[in-house]
Amino acid sequence: MVLWQVLWERIEGAETQAVFRFIAPGLGGVAPEIATADLDWLCETHAAPVAGLTYARSDTVVLTLMDRPVPRGETDPEAVQFFGAYRIEDGACLPEEF
């Protein structure tokens, strides 16, 4: 697994959202429960520490775990992708529903 992109987006109304995109070749056979656990771990170990930095502060983070690069906002029917959305509170990742 490798970190591919980190993007910051302004959410209309006020918040800043950080987007962390990871590539994990061979993701095709992974069960959704395992991918969710991986996304939770990536949030706690990678996204939350960055989101807490003064110069990179983010209220929410979105993580993408994909088997190949897919440009943000585009689709690739051949790609396997899992997504996780989290609110960062007191340095912890709290899962949110899409």
Side-chain angles (χ1 to χ4, degrees):
M1 182 177 342
V2 64
L3 177 61
W4 182 48
Q5 290 181 316
V6 179
L7 309 165
W8 280 265
E9 302 171 335
R10 173 67 76 191
I11 302 299
E12 190 172 327
E15 293 185 339
T16 299
Q17 172 176 279
V19 179
F20 292 77
R21 306 185 79 219
F22 295 86
I23 297 175
L27 198 57
V30 173
E33 303 81 34
I34 300 298
T36 298
D38 287 346
L39 288 166
D40 291 347
W41 180 82
L42 288 168
C43 188
E44 293 293 337
T45 60
H46 290 69
V50 171
L53 297 172
T54 302
Y55 59 87
R57 193 178 98 54
S58 303
D59 302 298
T60 59
V61 297
V62 173
L63 286 89
T64 305
L65 190 56
M66 56 193 145
D67 69 342
R68 67 192 78 188
V70 177
R72 180 129 168 96
E74 293 185 20
T75 60
D76 179 346
E78 301 295 317
V80 175
Q81 298 184 73
F82 294 98
F83 301 92
Y86 302 85
R87 173 159 294 287
I88 306 298
E89 289 187 15
D90 298 322
C93 296
L94 305 175
E96 292 194 322
E97 295 294 321
F98 279 103

